Amino acid sequence: MKYLLLIFFMNLLPQCAGKSLSRDGSYPKTFEGIRNEIAGYNDIAKAIIDLAVYGKAQNRSYERLAVFADTIGPRLSGSKNLDAAIKYMYSALQKDGLENVHLEPVKVPHWERGEEFAMMLEPRNHSIGILGLGSSVATPPEGITAEVIVVASFDELHRRAQEAKGKIVVYNQPFISYGETVRYRSLGAVEAAKVGAVASLIRSVASFSIHSPHTGWQDYQSGIPQIPTACISVEDAEMMSRMSFRGTKIVVYLKMGARTYPDSTSFNTVAEIVGSKYPEQIVLVSGHLDSWDVGQGAMDDGGGAFISWEALSLIKDLGLRPKRTLRLVLWTGEEQGGIGAEQYYQLHKENISNFDIVMESDEGTFKPSGLAFTGNAKARDIVKEIMALLLPINVTEVYDAADGTDINFWMRDGVPGASLRDDLSKYFWFHHSQGDTMTVQDPNQMNLCAAVWTVVSYIIADMEEMLPR
Amino acid sequence: MKYLLLIFFMNLLPQCAGKSLSRDGSYPKTFEGIRNEIAGYNDIAKAIIDLAVYGKAQNRSYERLAVFADTIGPRLSGSKNLDAAIKYMYSALQKDGLENVHLEPVKVPHWERGEEFAMMLEPRNHSIGILGLGSSVATPPEGITAEVIVVASFDELHRRAQEAKGKIVVYNQPFISYGETVRYRSLGAVEAAKVGAVASLIRSVASFSIHSPHTGWQDYQSGIPQIPTACISVEDAEMMSRMSFRGTKIVVYLKMGARTYPDSTSFNTVAEIVGSKYPEQIVLVSGHLDSWDVGQGAMDDGGGAFISWEALSLIKDLGLRPKRTLRLVLWTGEEQGGIGAEQYYQLHKENISNFDIVMESDEGTFKPSGLAFTGNAKARDIVKEIMALLLPINVTEVYDAADGTDINFWMRDGVPGASLRDDLSKYFWFHHSQGDTMTVQDPNQMNLCAAVWTVVSYIIADMEEMLPR
């Protein structure tokens, strides 16, 4: 997940609330009626849970993901791997017997890190592990050798602006939360360039580290010189901070061969179970297929993509066909800021009144605890009733504010949204690092996530009425 | 810590028990008398705790270690860094005002990993993170390209011996415990070579991983071809195992530039507080100064070495001088199997009856829970009484079987031994990896470890009688 857009849109949500379609007045059923309707899905919910968690489909999303992730590897926008991933999924979704399997073309950024290398030259030789940040420029071919200034915050950088000229800024900001801390990754280069620095090295935005740098997208600003920028490990950032605090002079050699190519064509990958009664109405479940270029993208967002696919597979396996169309979208270009999702929104927004709910899982598929939901009070009450059917696996919580770079476009305009909530305690240990591999995934946890995702999407797609907004 | 010797010696202990000096018969005091004597140290124990944990010496061992580890970096036997570390400590111990600061020369192995690189070529290009194992030979200059056979155990390798010829054996053994699992690292190359393999890649002996390979020593056997061998990450081992299980052909290119040089001269580093009444009798506290060549060796065994130094510093700061000599030994060549410690034993064993207790901390300096002790029942009762004085910091447990590659030589011959016990839950996340840095150390935890170490060593050094054996 990218997260930056998320923060942006969450700030917008209060202002935009007024823009949403309000159907509350015209909603036909009493809440008692709705409650009875939802209670009627009890057996189906149980059948979904049984199939996903204990039955024949047990571990399927995990196993499918393992084959996919092992075969394709990481899938950065613009890469051949992402092309291969889309081709693979197109074929797999067809083989799975889903309907309307198709690709919707999107222009996505194409950045490659190339060779990169950092070495501390003073006070001692020490190889610094780095991961260049997406969109970073390269160093000159001979690299950059410069003294380091270590700061713990943008405030400190601004206070010590005079010292930063011609230096490499090392940020050793503490990890508070991803949302709070990620601005150092996104804006570190810009802020360092403003005070005349020649490069920036940023402590990885990670809540725990075994010497593992984490990459991610960063943004230049027009009019500000573009300097090379990379993340370093928590350990190296702390070490340089200690050295600097002791007054030790630090000199670092940095070489990055990153290149930005013209935008390349990619695709959102779509498949459906077409609705039996209101086929034009859409319940959208999704995850993003692109990833960073390290690890296997098994967590971010292989898990979300594959439990979304699993939701359609489980419904098909049970011979169910909801009244509304259940649409799976595997987004492209999420890591560059929801590029695929924005285009999808632009293309399909004229149909917005037919979008019942948009769902995205992009914050891990660890042990689930419930659902985060964005929508009005009546819709929330309905979702709470649905979640009560997940009592057999004890995943009944409904939290505020759904997350997801790719669904925010719709939620901003009033479409109800949901995202999976799970145990995030280790998410930022692996996020955007070489550690994002199948080893972090647990088949039982993915089964539970798939059950939640399926029960919610199926019932919303099959109820008499769309969710009120 | 190396651990292999430890296992070896623990097996020997029962047979050797009879060789130890037995003084039980002649031990002069009643246990009641001893209990009273130890109770008399209550105020000193409190003073030590106050100084180490709450007072002026708070965080000193951590801060000293941070400066040392940041300045020197990793310290493999035979390296310039280890020479620098010994020089550094020699000077620091003198500056600290300790007595008889001196170096005892030892010939240690000198192995260097050189450049190393592994790449999966089939089924897809994937860079495999490796750490060559200590004593491994190099590949030919052009590297080795071979198909992989993945096994989960030596048993499986032996069953499938016919398939292994000419291949690279990948071990994906589960982590059971370090003691149980480390034999794959030590013997993996030998067992693979016996069945005609051209190299071995071994899943790191780690209880958790963020794509971090762990190194360590390995042993060739005479008459068995020496093949190159390295550890890979848990993640890559698991991935290759999944691929192999699916029948996917895996081809790996391996290049290692490791070299073994002639043994080089190193030193055990020694400092003392000379005893006031029985200066010839020795209480030995220790950790090892050498480390692996990755990370900073801050945990293995920077922490153990620096709380041992701290014990002498705290006693000096309090103006105490025990009746017996308190001797600090910072071993060299531990990671190659206690090379420095063995030579020390050979040189000093004629004085064995004067060694009261040998103590080593080499299993982390995380939150301490007590002391592991090797010795007879009466000695154990005495140690329990001493540990009761650590109730203010709640570190009073006495466990069986002290650990420590460097002190086993003495314990085998009946000298009582003690090692620190602490929270090991994360120890094997970092052990012998790039993750062994100051970031894993916590100053408060080190304060507590130092307090335990000091109270025990001081009281044993100052009691009227040596521990019974």
Side-chain angles (χ1 to χ4, degrees):
Chain A
M1 61 176 157
K2 201 211 174 198
Y3 260 93
L4 262 194
L5 275 180
L6 163 66
I7 297 156
F8 175 67
F9 284 128
M10 281 173 65
N11 288 333
L12 285 182
L13 277 176
Q15 296 102 287
C16 296
K19 289 185 201 163
S20 66
L21 297 178
S22 174
R23 300 180 176 183
D24 274 22
S26 60
Y27 203 69
K29 279 202 174 179
T30 62
F31 195 71
E32 196 52 37
I34 294 169
R35 182 176 284 165
N36 288 336
E37 184 187 2
I38 292 171
Y41 286 102
N42 191 44
D43 289 351
I44 287 181
K46 275 196 180 142
I48 291 170
I49 291 168
D50 279 349
L51 181 60
V53 182
Y54 312 107
K56 268 193 175 171
Q58 198 184 29
N59 301 356
R60 182 170 59 188
S61 59
Y62 172 90
E63 280 158 16
R64 280 173 169 173
L65 177 59
V67 175
F68 169 80
D70 292 347
T71 305
I72 307 290
R75 310 168 297 281
L76 187 60
S77 274
S79 69
K80 286 185 180 159
N81 279 16
L82 181 56
D83 293 345
I86 291 167
K87 200 173 279 183
Y88 181 105
M89 289 308 300
Y90 180 79
S91 165
L93 297 173
Q94 283 194 314
K95 258 190 240 165
D96 196 31
L98 299 180
E99 296 154 21
N100 293 340
V101 177
H102 68 280
L103 305 176
E104 304 192 7
V106 185
K107 284 281 180 200
V108 295
H110 181 186
W111 173 90
E112 287 179 10
R113 71 176 61 256
E115 260 189 85
E116 51 187 24
F117 177 76
M119 174 69 94
M120 181 189 285
L121 304 177
E122 292 184 40
R124 65 178 169 90
N125 280 350
H126 165 68
S127 170
I128 298 173
I130 65 170
L131 275 181
L133 293 180
S135 84
S136 174
V137 295
T139 61
E142 69 277 15
I144 290 173
T145 301
E147 199 177 330
V148 155
I149 172 175
V150 185
V151 297
S153 66
F154 287 138
D155 280 353
E156 183 180 351
L157 178 67
H158 299 147
R159 275 201 311 276
R160 299 173 59 195
Q162 295 305 318
E163 294 172 57
K165 200 169 152 55
K167 293 196 181 144
I168 296 173
V169 171
V170 169
Y171 293 96
N172 180 39
Q173 80 286 347
F175 182 87
I176 296 165
S177 68
Y178 190 80
E180 169 71 15
T181 311
V182 72
R183 62 201 175 102
Y184 286 91
R185 189 191 77 205
S186 328
L187 304 172
V190 162
E191 292 303 313
K194 281 182 188 168
V195 294
V198 292
S200 59
L201 295 174
I202 297 142
R203 173 179 166 144
S204 291
V205 187
S207 53
F208 176 77
S209 174
I210 304 184
H211 205 78
S212 35
H214 296 224
T215 187
W217 197 251
Q218 70 93 36
D219 295 295
Y220 290 124
Q221 285 172 13
S222 67
I224 310 292
Q226 302 191 345
I227 60 172
T229 183
C231 272
I232 58 176
S233 70
V234 170
E235 290 93 326
D236 278 339
E238 290 189 350
M239 182 172 74
M240 286 195 270
S241 174
R242 289 190 301 270
M243 288 172 165
S244 167
F245 182 77
R246 292 178 203 126
T248 307
K249 181 181 173 184
I250 305 169
V251 176
V252 164
Y253 170 72
L254 176 69
K255 192 168 184 317
M256 293 172 61
R259 282 188 67 179
T260 297
Y261 297 88
D263 285 359
S264 76
T265 300
S266 185
F267 301 90
N268 293 318
T269 305
V270 184
E272 294 180 342
I273 292 175
V274 176
S276 60
K277 189 169 175 185
Y278 310 114
E280 76 287 1
Q281 293 178 7
I282 307 295
V283 164
L284 188 152
V285 293
S286 69
H288 64 86
L289 208 57
D290 67 302
S291 74
W292 277 97
D293 59 341
V294 288
Q296 298 186 295
M299 182 187 82
D300 184 12
D301 181 31
F306 275 63
I307 64 158
S308 295
W309 173 15
E310 185 66 14
L312 273 67
S313 293
L314 289 167
I315 288 167
K316 208 178 51 59
D317 288 350
L318 289 167
L320 299 170
R321 181 177 291 277
K323 297 187 186 71
R324 259 163 235 101
T325 293
L326 195 61
R327 180 178 292 170
L328 168 69
V329 185
L330 304 175
W331 312 102
T332 194
E334 190 274 347
E335 296 295 358
Q336 290 67 35
I339 307 294
E342 181 168 14
Q343 163 150 333
Y344 183 88
Y345 167 77
Q346 295 299 344
L347 279 176
H348 296 277
K349 68 181 176 185
E350 62 177 357
N351 194 30
I352 192 165
S353 61
N354 276 327
F355 278 74
D356 192 356
I357 185 170
V358 287
M359 296 169 61
E360 181 171 30
S361 165
D362 186 21
E363 285 189 292
T365 46
F366 298 102
K367 188 166 184 290
S369 59
L371 210 65
F373 180 75
T374 294
N376 69 22
K378 196 158 187 178
R380 174 174 299 277
D381 287 342
I382 294 171
V383 169
K384 280 184 181 165
E385 288 295 313
I386 297 171
M387 289 301 288
L389 299 180
L390 288 155
L391 190 63
I393 54 170
N394 201 23
V395 192
T396 57
E397 285 294 319
V398 177
Y399 304 90
D400 284 345
D403 274 352
T405 303
D406 298 313
I407 57 172
N408 284 317
F409 300 94
W410 300 91
M411 293 193 295
R412 185 187 55 182
D413 283 353
V415 177
S419 58
L420 190 72
R421 280 285 181 94
D422 61 325
D423 173 13
L424 278 185
S425 57
K426 292 185 182 167
Y427 190 86
F428 295 108
W429 297 19
F430 309 115
H431 183 249
H432 296 185
S433 84
Q434 292 284 11
D436 180 353
T437 72
M438 280 309 294
T439 293
V440 312
Q441 294 288 4
D442 176 89
N444 295 319
Q445 292 175 351
M446 283 189 74
N447 292 339
L448 296 171
C449 292
V452 176
W453 220 223
T454 312
V455 165
V456 172
S457 60
Y458 176 75
I459 296 177
I460 293 176
D462 197 57
M463 286 175 69
E464 284 303 327
E465 295 292 325
M466 284 175 70
L467 291 174
R469 18 183 125 162
Chain B
M1 59 178 159
K2 199 205 177 202
Y3 257 94
L4 264 193
L5 275 182
L6 162 67
I7 297 156
F8 176 67
F9 284 129
M10 280 175 63
N11 289 332
L12 284 182
L13 276 175
Q15 297 102 288
C16 296
K19 292 186 200 165
S20 65
L21 298 177
S22 175
R23 300 182 174 181
D24 274 22
S26 60
Y27 202 69
K29 278 205 175 178
T30 62
F31 194 71
E32 197 51 37
I34 294 169
R35 182 175 283 166
N36 288 338
E37 184 187 2
I38 292 171
Y41 286 102
N42 191 42
D43 288 351
I44 286 180
K46 275 196 181 146
I48 290 169
I49 291 168
D50 278 350
L51 180 59
V53 181
Y54 312 107
K56 268 193 175 172
Q58 198 185 28
N59 302 355
R60 183 170 58 188
S61 58
Y62 172 90
E63 280 158 15
R64 280 174 171 173
L65 177 59
V67 175
F68 169 80
D70 292 346
T71 305
I72 306 291
R75 311 169 295 281
L76 187 61
S77 274
S79 69
K80 285 184 181 159
N81 279 16
L82 180 57
D83 293 345
I86 291 166
K87 200 174 280 183
Y88 181 104
M89 288 308 299
Y90 179 80
S91 163
L93 297 172
Q94 283 195 313
K95 257 190 241 166
D96 195 30
L98 299 180
E99 296 155 20
N100 293 339
V101 177
H102 67 280
L103 304 177
E104 303 191 8
V106 185
K107 283 283 180 199
V108 294
H110 181 186
W111 173 90
E112 286 180 11
R113 72 176 61 255
E115 256 188 89
E116 51 187 23
F117 176 76
M119 175 70 94
M120 182 189 285
L121 304 178
E122 294 186 38
R124 64 177 170 90
N125 281 349
H126 165 68
S127 170
I128 298 173
I130 64 171
L131 275 181
L133 293 180
S135 85
S136 175
V137 294
T139 61
E142 69 278 15
I144 290 173
T145 301
E147 201 178 328
V148 155
I149 172 175
V150 185
V151 298
S153 66
F154 287 138
D155 280 352
E156 184 181 350
L157 178 68
H158 298 146
R159 276 200 312 277
R160 298 174 59 194
Q162 295 305 317
E163 294 172 57
K165 199 169 152 58
K167 292 197 181 143
I168 295 173
V169 172
V170 169
Y171 293 96
N172 180 39
Q173 79 287 346
F175 182 87
I176 296 166
S177 68
Y178 191 80
E180 169 71 14
T181 310
V182 73
R183 62 201 175 102
Y184 286 91
R185 189 191 77 205
S186 329
L187 304 173
V190 162
E191 292 303 313
K194 280 182 189 167
V195 293
V198 293
S200 59
L201 294 174
I202 296 140
R203 174 178 164 143
S204 290
V205 186
S207 54
F208 175 78
S209 174
I210 305 184
H211 205 78
S212 34
H214 297 222
T215 188
W217 197 250
Q218 70 94 37
D219 295 295
Y220 290 124
Q221 284 171 15
S222 68
I224 310 290
Q226 302 192 345
I227 60 173
T229 184
C231 272
I232 58 176
S233 70
V234 169
E235 291 92 328
D236 278 339
E238 290 190 350
M239 182 173 72
M240 286 196 269
S241 173
R242 288 191 301 271
M243 288 172 165
S244 167
F245 182 77
R246 293 178 201 127
T248 307
K249 181 181 173 185
I250 305 169
V251 176
V252 164
Y253 170 72
L254 176 68
K255 192 167 183 319
M256 292 173 61
R259 282 188 67 178
T260 296
Y261 297 88
D263 286 358
S264 76
T265 299
S266 185
F267 302 90
N268 292 318
T269 305
V270 185
E272 293 180 343
I273 293 175
V274 176
S276 61
K277 189 167 176 186
Y278 312 113
E280 76 287 1
Q281 294 177 6
I282 307 296
V283 164
L284 188 152
V285 294
S286 68
H288 65 85
L289 208 57
D290 68 304
S291 74
W292 276 96
D293 59 342
V294 287
Q296 297 186 295
M299 183 187 82
D300 184 13
D301 184 30
F306 275 63
I307 66 156
S308 294
W309 173 16
E310 186 66 14
L312 273 65
S313 292
L314 289 166
I315 289 166
K316 208 178 52 60
D317 288 350
L318 288 167
L320 299 170
R321 182 176 290 278
K323 297 186 185 72
R324 263 164 232 99
T325 292
L326 195 59
R327 180 177 293 171
L328 168 70
V329 185
L330 304 176
W331 312 103
T332 193
E334 190 275 348
E335 296 295 357
Q336 290 68 36
I339 309 293
E342 181 167 16
Q343 163 150 332
Y344 183 89
Y345 166 77
Q346 295 299 344
L347 278 176
H348 296 276
K349 67 181 176 185
E350 64 176 358
N351 194 29
I352 194 166
S353 61
N354 276 328
F355 278 74
D356 192 356
I357 185 170
V358 287
M359 297 168 60
E360 181 171 31
S361 165
D362 186 20
E363 286 190 290
T365 45
F366 297 102
K367 188 167 185 289
S369 58
L371 210 66
F373 180 76
T374 294
N376 70 20
K378 196 157 188 177
R380 174 174 299 276
D381 287 342
I382 292 172
V383 169
K384 280 184 182 166
E385 288 295 314
I386 296 171
M387 288 301 287
L389 299 181
L390 288 155
L391 189 63
I393 54 170
N394 201 23
V395 192
T396 57
E397 285 295 318
V398 178
Y399 303 90
D400 283 344
D403 275 352
T405 302
D406 298 313
I407 57 172
N408 284 317
F409 300 94
W410 300 91
M411 293 194 295
R412 187 187 55 183
D413 284 351
V415 177
S419 58
L420 190 71
R421 281 283 183 96
D422 60 326
D423 173 14
L424 277 186
S425 57
K426 292 185 182 166
Y427 190 86
F428 295 108
W429 298 17
F430 310 114
H431 183 249
H432 295 186
S433 84
Q434 291 285 10
D436 180 353
T437 71
M438 280 310 292
T439 293
V440 312
Q441 294 287 6
D442 176 89
N444 295 319
Q445 292 175 350
M446 284 189 72
N447 293 339
L448 295 172
C449 292
V452 176
W453 220 223
T454 312
V455 165
V456 172
S457 60
Y458 175 77
I459 296 177
I460 293 177
D462 197 57
M463 287 174 68
E464 284 303 327
E465 296 291 325
M466 284 174 72
L467 291 175
R469 14 183 130 164

